[in-house]
Amino acid sequence: MGFARTCSVALVGVEGVVVEVQAGLEPGVAAFTLVGLPDKSLIESRERVRAAVVNSGAEWPQKKLIVGLSPASVPKGGSGFDLAVACAVLGAAERLDPRDLTDLMMIGELGLDGRVRPVRGVLPAVLAAADAGYRQVVVPEQTAAEASLVPGISVLGVRSLRQLIAVLADEPVPDEEDPRDEGRPDPSLAGLVVPGTGVGAGLPPGDHTPDLADVAGQHSARRALEVAAAGRHHIFFKGPPGAGKTMLAERLPGLLPPLSPKESLEVTAVHSVAGTLPPGQPLVHRPPYCAPHHSATMASLVGGGTGLPRPGAVSLAHHGVLFVDEAAECSPRVLDALRQPLESGHVVVARAAGMMRMPARILLALAANPCPCGRHGTTGGGCECRPSSIRRYRARLSGPLMDRVDLRIAVEPVARAELIALGRGAETTAAVAERVRTARERAETRFSGTPWHTNSEVPGHELRTRWQVHPGALAQAERDLECGLLTARGLDRVLRVAWTAADLAGRDRPTREDVNWALELRTGVRRGALAAAGGGGNHHETATVRPPHEQR
């Protein structure tokens, strides 16, 4: 009885499970049996592998063949097991030395002509192999650059099964034509993209980055945007149509610092599995930006689908910005599904076929009109909405969701003078991003030796005990907490925003003005010396005030 084994990886969401591919030959009627909980696409690999082996010049064994995928309890799907199955069969038939296959990790689909076609999820698969102790992987040539991102891994990129057989058998490696060398399109690249998702979906555009200098006026909103980027605070824009809410949100990713090497690997892994990673772009360096339509379903936002769940928009925006425009038009049930990932930084989707944990550490930006017609509260707006309609419209954004949003900004219509003066003295994205980077560095220095990097990640207990604010700075916040205007979670978030304001201003700890400004952004009620004479307001409205570091 001939026997050989090699390894591949089964992806469960964005995490990989090492699978041992075993092939055994027995005397009997020629048959090919595949066991180990394969799905339909994997069962069809029997015909692909048989044709690829024959067309590669190797002899197909005319015996009873059993290929087992272990562990058998893990669901396995996709075409990425083809290469491992073919080599295990050739090892059992003694065309290859079984000892050369044992420590190899193989990932790739086979065409009927023996060409090796790329598959999605190579990066998380190789990461799983590295964690399991494997040091050699074989992948399609088109995804070799993506696999090489994992340190400590030796990557062999092959174009065909013939080339791999020659390498393993220590024979001369045949040349295979590359369609790209002749100016022809490579049809095998279609396997890297999920139909309907679009290449680069959720990734920032590479050619043109929207500049903050294009935004006219909106000084308070611009400063709040800077605070949101510096501390990774969730932000909510409310204002009439055309005031600039979408323009502001689109410029938020440009203010974020580039991704760290660890973050780049995480983001690239998610987009590789989702089929949105553009060919030729093996690593994502910039924070992603995902803006789903307000009619998005639960599955498209948090992940789901038939069979094993797939990453949703909240995972595609991991370490980046998730912008929900026209938030009041979204399904309240769909929006409330964001509450868990906003707190935990990940989302767990359970389906009948299995459970999947996906990363979802995002910066959430919401935008909504003040009423159904969008003209409530504007000068000469002529809003005709009933008060009951306005209340119902605003109630679509639930209290528990808004309690997780640190910054709430009223975006007013731009005045004529500000619109005409566009471009005069307006700060660019690069200038603001530099201040954000400096503030991030101050926070990272303060949190050195801890698992946190930004102010929004620090638990409230740690903020209250390890890093103290100026004496008396929390007086107004404590009064708001007693009268019910502020929740315990809200107090923690006010502290985080105050620390970010202090970092941007270059102070070693927040002052009373920093805390009061953070309170105004959260509750909409103007405080103390920052408020205008006779100031105050309804706590359901948002305030437009200048931050302390701008007033000095």
Side-chain angles (χ1 to χ4, degrees):
M1 174 180 175
F3 178 81
R5 63 178 182 176
T6 186
C7 291
S8 191
V9 176
L11 288 178
V12 182
V14 294
E15 298 178 354
V17 178
V18 174
V19 174
E20 188 177 56
V21 181
Q22 304 170 340
L25 288 174
E26 300 177 357
V29 178
F32 187 177
T33 305
L34 185 63
V35 297
L37 210 58
D39 69 352
K40 179 66 174 177
S41 62
L42 185 49
I43 291 176
E44 292 177 348
S45 69
R46 295 178 301 180
E47 310 305 326
R48 293 193 301 270
V49 169
R50 191 197 313 268
V53 168
V54 172
N55 291 327
S56 297
E59 183 179 352
W60 184 260
Q62 298 301 316
K63 295 182 180 180
K64 182 180 180 180
L65 171 63
I66 300 178
V67 174
L69 308 176
S70 180
S73 59
V74 177
K76 304 166 191 72
S79 56
F81 294 90
D82 290 2
L83 198 58
V85 171
C87 288
V89 171
L90 293 174
E94 298 183 350
R95 174 64 177 86
L96 299 175
D97 189 345
R99 293 172 298 180
D100 295 337
L101 304 176
T102 303
D103 297 328
L104 278 182
M105 179 69 63
M106 301 186 184
I107 305 164
E109 177 186 334
L110 286 175
L112 300 183
D113 58 353
R115 286 185 176 272
V116 181
R117 301 172 63 90
V119 294
R120 299 187 304 271
V122 166
L123 178 58
V126 177
L127 285 170
D131 292 340
Y134 290 86
R135 292 296 174 262
Q136 291 182 308
V137 297
V138 180
V139 298
E141 185 183 53
Q142 295 91 331
T143 57
E146 182 180 343
S148 300
L149 296 173
V150 182
I153 291 291
S154 175
V155 179
L156 173 62
V158 295
R159 292 185 185 176
S160 68
L161 182 59
R162 285 198 311 156
Q163 287 186 337
L164 181 56
I165 293 174
V167 170
L168 295 177
D170 198 17
E171 300 172 354
V173 179
D175 291 331
E176 298 284 358
E177 65 175 4
D178 188 350
R180 294 170 296 181
D181 294 340
E182 302 177 6
R184 291 182 290 145
D186 189 354
S188 65
L189 296 178
L192 297 176
V193 181
V194 176
T197 58
V199 177
L203 295 177
D207 299 333
H208 174 68
T209 301
D211 200 318
L212 197 59
D214 299 335
V215 180
Q218 306 299 354
H219 304 291
S220 299
R222 290 167 60 99
R223 286 299 183 180
L225 206 67
E226 181 178 341
V227 172
R232 293 193 66 89
H233 302 290
H234 308 308
I235 188 168
F236 170 56
F237 299 105
K238 186 178 75 172
K245 304 185 294 296
T246 303
M247 284 188 66
L248 289 163
E250 288 176 344
R251 282 145 181 81
L252 182 54
L255 303 181
L256 300 177
L259 299 175
S260 66
K262 181 175 181 294
E263 292 172 344
S264 293
L265 286 178
E266 293 178 4
V267 173
T268 304
V270 173
H271 286 268
S272 178
V273 171
T276 59
L277 192 64
Q281 182 178 335
L283 187 65
V284 180
H285 296 280
R286 299 166 57 194
Y289 173 76
C290 195
H293 192 260
H294 63 262
S295 63
T297 62
M298 178 83 72
S300 67
L301 192 63
V302 301
T306 58
L308 284 175
R310 297 184 54 78
V314 72
S315 295
L316 295 178
H318 181 53
H319 288 311
V321 177
L322 176 66
F323 176 48
V324 182
D325 201 0
E326 303 294 345
E329 300 291 343
C330 295
S331 166
R333 179 171 169 268
V334 173
L335 279 181
D336 284 340
L338 296 174
R339 285 152 55 177
Q340 177 195 356
L342 289 183
E343 286 293 316
S344 62
H346 64 267
V347 59
V348 178
V349 181
R351 295 291 186 270
M355 182 178 295
M356 181 173 64
R357 183 182 186 272
M358 295 173 288
R361 189 165 298 281
I362 61 172
L363 197 167
L364 177 65
L366 299 171
N369 295 329
C371 66
C373 75
R375 298 190 297 270
H376 179 74
T378 60
T379 304
C383 175
E384 298 179 355
C385 299
R386 295 175 178 270
S388 58
S389 299
I390 297 176
R391 287 194 299 269
R392 285 195 301 269
Y393 189 77
R394 295 180 178 179
R396 296 177 68 87
L397 299 176
S398 68
L401 174 64
M402 295 305 297
D403 198 39
R404 291 166 168 81
V405 177
D406 302 340
L407 310 174
R408 309 174 189 178
I409 307 299
V411 183
E412 303 293 343
V414 181
R416 181 180 62 86
E418 292 177 325
L419 192 60
I420 294 176
L422 179 61
R424 302 177 191 171
E427 283 191 304
T428 63
T429 293
V432 178
E434 180 62 25
R435 286 203 302 270
V436 169
R437 184 190 61 80
T438 303
R440 286 279 188 104
E441 290 176 352
R442 291 179 62 89
E444 289 189 3
T445 301
R446 184 168 62 251
F447 300 139
S448 61
T450 71
W452 313 300
H453 302 282
T454 59
N455 292 313
S456 63
E457 303 172 12
V458 185
H461 173 74
E462 299 290 339
L463 277 180
R464 293 190 297 270
T465 56
R466 294 181 59 176
W467 294 285
Q468 298 289 331
V469 301
H470 273 284
L474 290 176
Q476 185 61 55
E478 292 170 353
R479 286 194 292 270
D480 287 352
L481 185 64
E482 290 178 357
C483 68
L485 187 60
L486 198 65
T487 64
R489 182 194 286 122
L491 178 60
D492 292 342
R493 293 184 175 274
V494 165
L495 276 174
R496 295 167 183 165
V497 175
W499 272 103
T500 302
D503 288 337
L504 285 169
R507 291 190 280 270
D508 58 350
R509 54 177 174 168
T511 62
R512 180 192 296 268
E513 288 75 17
D514 293 323
V515 175
N516 287 348
W517 181 64
L519 277 171
E520 291 174 0
L521 289 177
R522 183 169 184 84
T523 65
V525 181
R526 299 197 172 191
R527 314 286 175 175
L530 296 182
N538 191 317
H539 70 273
H540 293 290
E541 300 296 330
T542 51
T544 53
V545 295
R546 297 172 63 196
H549 60 275
E550 186 184 4
Q551 296 193 6
R552 292 181 303 164

